[in-house]
Amino acid sequence: MKIAQHISQLLYRYQCVMVPGFGAFLTETQSAQMQQGTHTFFPPKKLLSFNAQIKNNDGLLANYIARHENISYEEAVVMIQHEVAIWQSMLDTNQAVTLNNIGFLSLNDDHNIVFSPNTQKNYLAESFGLSAVNVEAIERIAVENLLAASEQPNTVFERKVEVVQDEVAETPVIAMDTQKRRPYLHYAAVLVLALAVTGSVGYNFFQTQVAAETLQVQNEVQREVRAKIQEATFFIENPIPSVTLNVRDTKMPYHVVAGAFRNVENADKIFQKLSDAGYKSKKLEVNNFGLTPVIYGSFSSYTEAYKLMKTIQKTDNPDAWLLIKEL
């Protein structure tokens, strides 16, 4: 579609892009989200929607097309009207209108336009380059359970040492005659020495095992402490109270336009007429097309400006339109 790429570019900068005679594409900022099932973090984004009830011409799309296509404003309006006629013809024949990077439009059973946005496109400029991030869940084991598990092997080694020591204590008690004891004393001494060496080796092994398990417990405790610190980094139970500063927003980008005049005298007459009628009228600077716009007033809220425009169109000037521009 010819004007789809221009609409796509404007969605990065504006919350509302109107297509005269057809509808408006609206955006709403959504904060970062986390999907619990897959542990996936999604960056902030703009949610895109469509409202077929807003069909007036605010001049935004036509001016943008005229500037980038190097054509006049009137030619841009004609281009938009021609494109809208093609869209409407496709919808009337039950064909879907596909807009690149935006989504597609179709009619439901009640002949109402249904918009399906392109969820892969993020129009939030602040999130440019950010993508979804997958993380793994952290399994935590209580330190008390680790300590309880580490104490069990120590008990077994202590029992083994006690058995060896009991055997060493009982072995020298041998009842035999004095003349026949000497041949056996040699073997008894060897047995005692072997048992003593065995007890010493078992005790050293026990000490080594205790030291290794103590080091393991210390490492587990350190990992637990690091996990607690990391958890505290993301979840603060008693955060510092936020301080709200009321800063007056002086930006008023929404303007209700009475008309744009090539003759400066005509612009002065309309400006004086609106001022006498009580409007906060202004004459804007000459635009790229050599026209001097005269506005009823400027507003910081789109809703307020749109409401005034509809009232003026019904009572005074049916050609009034809405200009969205930061002056």
Side-chain angles (χ1 to χ4, degrees):
M1 297 302 172
K2 296 181 179 179
I3 67 174
Q5 57 180 347
H6 299 299
I7 297 174
S8 179
Q9 292 297 322
L10 288 172
L11 287 173
Y12 282 104
R13 301 165 54 189
Y14 299 94
Q15 293 180 337
C16 176
V17 178
M18 300 183 189
V19 182
F22 187 75
F25 293 94
L26 308 173
T27 63
E28 180 183 358
T29 303
Q30 182 187 64
S31 58
Q33 303 287 323
M34 185 190 77
Q35 190 174 20
Q36 295 289 346
T38 60
H39 300 284
T40 303
F41 288 88
F42 295 93
K45 64 182 299 184
K46 274 187 178 181
L47 299 179
L48 190 60
S49 61
F50 177 78
N51 189 339
Q53 303 300 321
I54 306 176
K55 298 182 179 181
N56 59 299
N57 182 13
D58 62 353
L60 175 64
L61 181 59
N63 278 308
Y64 186 83
I65 293 176
R67 185 167 62 253
H68 284 76
E69 298 290 342
N70 197 21
I71 59 178
S72 66
Y73 176 83
E74 291 75 13
E75 290 175 333
V77 172
V78 173
M79 178 187 292
I80 295 173
Q81 293 174 348
H82 178 70
E83 191 75 9
V84 167
I86 296 176
W87 294 357
Q88 195 63 54
S89 176
M90 294 177 64
L91 293 174
D92 292 339
T93 56
N94 293 326
Q95 299 182 53
V97 178
T98 302
L99 306 178
N100 292 335
N101 296 326
I102 299 175
F104 65 90
L105 302 161
S106 60
L107 289 182
N108 59 14
D109 296 336
D110 297 328
H111 296 282
N112 295 323
I113 297 178
V114 178
F115 175 62
S116 299
N118 183 353
T119 58
Q120 303 300 322
K121 190 71 173 179
N122 189 351
Y123 285 102
L124 187 62
E126 291 79 0
S127 296
F128 180 79
L130 300 179
S131 60
V133 177
N134 294 322
V135 297
E136 296 183 359
I138 299 175
E139 296 183 1
R140 294 183 172 86
I141 302 176
V143 179
E144 292 80 3
N145 296 337
L146 293 174
L147 293 174
S150 64
E151 290 177 354
Q152 294 179 0
N154 298 344
T155 304
V156 174
F157 286 122
E158 289 174 358
R159 292 176 180 175
K160 289 182 178 180
V161 173
E162 291 174 358
V163 171
V164 172
Q165 291 176 351
D166 291 340
E167 292 177 356
V168 173
E170 293 176 359
T171 301
V173 182
I174 302 175
M176 59 181 59
D177 295 337
T178 305
Q179 295 179 355
K180 298 181 181 181
R181 182 170 45 185
R182 292 180 179 178
Y184 295 99
L185 287 177
H186 176 72
Y187 298 104
V190 173
L191 179 60
V192 170
L193 180 60
L195 291 176
V197 172
T198 302
S200 176
V201 173
Y203 181 77
N204 291 335
F205 178 77
F206 161 71
Q207 293 292 340
T208 303
Q209 185 69 15
V210 170
E213 292 178 350
T214 301
L215 179 60
Q216 180 182 359
V217 172
Q218 290 176 350
N219 291 336
E220 293 292 340
V221 171
Q222 290 295 331
R223 283 195 290 269
E224 191 72 20
V225 170
R226 287 194 295 269
K228 291 295 182 182
I229 294 175
Q230 183 179 6
E231 182 180 359
T233 303
F234 290 95
F235 304 98
I236 302 176
E237 297 180 356
N238 297 312
I240 299 175
S242 59
V243 178
T244 303
L245 299 179
N246 295 323
V247 180
R248 184 179 179 182
D249 187 7
T250 58
K251 294 183 179 179
M252 306 179 73
Y254 305 101
H255 318 279
V256 180
V257 182
F261 306 92
R262 192 171 300 277
N263 191 323
V264 179
E265 293 181 356
N266 293 335
D268 292 336
K269 292 179 181 179
I270 297 298
F271 167 73
Q272 189 61 44
K273 179 181 177 181
L274 297 181
S275 299
D276 295 341
Y279 292 104
K280 296 181 180 180
S281 179
K282 295 180 183 179
K283 287 192 305 180
L284 303 183
E285 296 181 358
V286 178
N287 60 23
N288 297 334
F289 308 103
L291 304 177
T292 303
V294 180
I295 63 174
Y296 288 91
S298 301
F299 303 89
S300 60
S301 169
Y302 171 81
T303 303
E304 187 178 3
Y306 180 77
K307 182 177 179 181
L308 176 61
M309 182 196 67
K310 299 301 291 183
T311 302
I312 292 174
Q313 287 177 344
K314 293 179 181 178
T315 60
D316 184 33
N317 182 6
D319 295 327
W321 52 281
L322 190 62
L323 172 64
I324 304 177
K325 183 178 180 181
E326 294 184 2
L327 301 179

